[in-house]
Amino acid sequence: MNLLLNIGPIFRALKRQRFSAILVVVQIAITMAIITNGIAISWDRYLHIERSSGIDEQNTFFMTSSGFTQDFNPRASIERDLALIRSTQGVIDGVQANSFPLSDSGNWYEIQTTPKNDAQLVPAASYKFDEHGINTFGLKLVAGDNFNQQDTLWLNEADSQWPSHVLLSKATAMALFGDNQWQIAVGKTIYVNQNTPIIVKGIVEKLHAPWVDWPHVEQTIISPARVTHNSARYVIRTQPGRLNEIMQTLPATLAKENTQRVIRKVKSIQQAKDEIYAADIATVSILLIVIVVLAFVTAMGVAGLASFNIDKRRQQIGIRRALGASKRQILQHFMLENALLCTMGASLGTLLTLALNIFLVNAYALTPLPLYYLPLGVIILLVISQLAVIKPACRAMSISPAMATRSI
């Protein structure tokens, strides 16, 4: 109740120092707009970076085998390499794959449930690997069956043939058959590019496309095939804790086994992820630095203006102390005054935050700001401003009635 009685005198005091009060309110409003949108953008990008691609990213690496002699036999080389890779101690499994999540290269097709021209077309990134792919990537089969050895075809680069069976990601099955009936995709015939029928043999829980910003990133189709080419990419999954060791030894072993090719581009999935998200990581880092610096500058501004106002009101404080106000009441007075200024700044800041977000969404196609960020921004600014004003307020409550009366 005593605090509420102070609101009237506080507003009258602020009215006499309206310039500094307006300055604090505007500073808090601008800070809230930038900090709130900055936090929302940073969190959105963080979730984008940290989302799971569906594979065992921590224990998987890849490398490229490139033949350079006229006698180099790609198919024989792939067969020998896969046998050696899979028999290496510490390796869980390995495949030759045309592409993989986070590789940023590959191709995609449009698939549909009927060959009709007006059927819904579902884009899906295409992966080609044999029956070891599920174990290599650490995928979870949620319906149907995995490929078997007889399903796998050997294709060359120009070959447009499709195997008779494919696997789908759950998101692809949902896009084709509906969110509640995706399981019925198993055993169904679907069509690639309107004219190639294939049967769905199984569905995996999640497998992202190679491109992290592709709008249909969760929609993929897997066909059991090995593509022969002078360059073959192998994906290898190791036992936990043995990734670095095998990344060092296995490429050297493969290179020694066949001198008609070179092993290059040996890289872990985590390294590929860091590279592909480098711009996002830099954006998040810069935004966080800006947020911290801006919060610090705002805190210094609030503290500076509070100190200035207290110096100008030393006589008023001394009189209140002489009239019986306790140190605690003086402290409460300035903390409440600052809280009122912060509330006004946050109210204006809410409007600025929404206006800035509308601009960012329209200009840069960012995600609209979830409304729960607004109270979060208010709380952050309130905490910052209250912490900033503690020291000046403590200095105010230390003013003695005797010192104030000597200045009259």
Side-chain angles (χ1 to χ4, degrees):
M1 181 62 73
N2 290 335
L3 285 177
L4 295 178
L5 293 175
N6 285 334
I7 291 179
I10 288 174
F11 273 113
R12 286 193 289 275
L14 291 176
K15 192 175 179 181
R16 289 193 293 272
Q17 301 169 14
R18 60 174 66 90
F19 178 75
S20 59
I22 292 173
L23 197 60
V24 172
V25 168
V26 172
Q27 185 180 19
I28 290 174
I30 294 174
T31 301
M32 178 178 166
I34 297 174
I35 285 182
T36 305
N37 278 285
I39 291 175
I41 294 170
S42 299
W43 184 246
D44 182 66
R45 299 318 295 172
Y46 173 78
L47 293 179
H48 183 68
I49 295 169
E50 291 300 316
R51 66 182 174 175
S52 169
S53 62
I55 69 175
D56 182 2
E57 298 175 4
Q58 300 300 320
N59 302 298
T60 305
F61 73 101
F62 59 93
M63 57 185 168
T64 300
S65 165
S66 299
F68 58 85
T69 68
Q70 290 185 344
D71 297 331
F72 180 72
N73 185 330
R75 177 166 176 169
S77 177
I78 291 171
E79 289 179 324
R80 287 198 304 271
D81 289 344
L82 288 177
L84 191 152
I85 289 169
R86 290 166 182 169
S87 63
T88 299
Q89 192 172 11
V91 170
I92 292 177
D93 216 335
V95 288
Q96 183 239 338
N98 67 320
S99 183
F100 47 85
L102 301 165
S103 66
D104 203 30
S105 67
N107 48 33
W108 61 276
Y109 297 91
E110 289 180 331
I111 55 179
Q112 54 200 86
T113 55
T114 71
K116 297 178 181 177
N117 291 333
D118 58 351
Q120 179 191 4
L121 300 176
V122 174
S126 171
Y127 289 124
K128 293 181 175 66
F129 46 74
D130 62 25
E131 70 278 7
H132 290 263
I134 285 185
N135 195 33
T136 299
F137 287 107
L139 304 179
K140 181 181 179 183
L141 192 68
V142 292
D145 299 309
N146 187 15
F147 302 130
N148 55 48
Q149 193 172 3
Q150 290 69 39
D151 291 328
T152 302
L153 294 181
W154 284 93
L155 304 174
N156 58 50
E157 278 191 297
D159 203 334
S160 60
Q161 181 182 1
W162 278 79
S164 59
H165 294 83
V166 294
L167 303 180
L168 301 179
S169 67
K170 184 177 174 181
T172 308
M174 292 171 69
L176 287 169
F177 296 95
D179 292 352
N180 299 321
Q181 293 186 307
W182 57 271
Q183 297 95 335
I184 69 171
V186 177
K188 298 280 188 182
T189 299
I190 61 175
Y191 297 84
V192 178
N193 294 336
Q194 294 187 333
N195 53 17
T196 304
I198 46 179
I199 298 172
V200 178
K201 188 168 186 178
I203 299 173
V204 297
E205 176 72 28
K206 178 186 284 188
L207 177 62
H208 275 190
W211 320 281
V212 295
D213 292 319
W214 196 44
H216 314 287
V217 67
E218 296 202 3
Q219 295 175 190
T220 51
I221 181 172
I222 309 163
S223 51
R226 294 172 181 161
V227 181
T228 57
H229 186 265
N230 274 8
S231 287
R233 281 200 288 191
Y234 300 122
V235 181
I236 299 113
R237 182 182 175 205
T238 69
Q239 293 173 352
R242 302 199 62 179
L243 179 71
N244 293 333
E245 168 202 344
I246 295 175
M247 278 182 66
Q248 294 289 327
T249 58
L250 187 55
T253 304
L254 288 174
K256 190 181 299 181
E257 287 294 317
N258 186 346
T259 57
Q260 293 183 327
R261 54 88 184 278
V262 293
I263 300 294
R264 58 192 182 91
K265 295 183 179 178
V266 182
K267 194 177 294 183
S268 70
I269 293 293
Q270 191 59 50
Q271 288 173 319
K273 185 174 185 176
D274 291 342
E275 290 177 3
I276 205 167
Y277 283 119
D280 293 285
I281 294 171
T283 300
V284 171
S285 301
I286 292 171
L287 274 176
L288 291 178
I289 292 172
V290 169
I291 289 170
V292 171
V293 171
L294 185 59
F296 179 76
V297 170
T298 300
M300 292 299 100
V302 170
L305 285 172
S307 296
F308 176 73
N309 288 334
I310 287 170
D311 287 340
K312 288 186 66 176
R313 292 152 66 182
R314 289 176 64 86
Q315 183 179 0
Q316 176 190 347
I317 297 169
I319 293 173
R320 286 199 61 186
R321 292 280 286 120
L323 292 176
S326 65
K327 291 184 177 181
R328 187 169 63 89
Q329 288 173 322
I330 298 297
L331 177 68
Q332 288 176 340
H333 175 94
F334 284 99
M335 297 296 287
L336 178 60
E337 180 179 294
N338 184 70
L340 291 173
L341 288 173
C342 184
T343 301
M344 289 187 281
S347 301
L348 178 60
T350 299
L351 298 177
L352 289 180
T353 301
L354 294 174
L356 179 59
N357 184 251
I358 291 171
F359 168 75
L360 293 172
V361 170
N362 291 330
Y364 302 105
L366 298 181
T367 305
L369 181 77
L371 293 180
Y372 57 78
Y373 277 94
L374 295 175
L376 176 65
V378 172
I379 292 172
I380 290 174
L381 265 297
L382 184 61
V383 170
I384 290 173
S385 63
Q386 289 296 79
L387 290 175
V389 86
I390 285 179
K391 187 175 180 180
C394 289
R395 190 160 57 83
M397 76 178 188
S398 66
I399 295 174
S400 69
M403 289 181 64
T405 52
R406 282 202 295 270
S407 64
I408 293 174

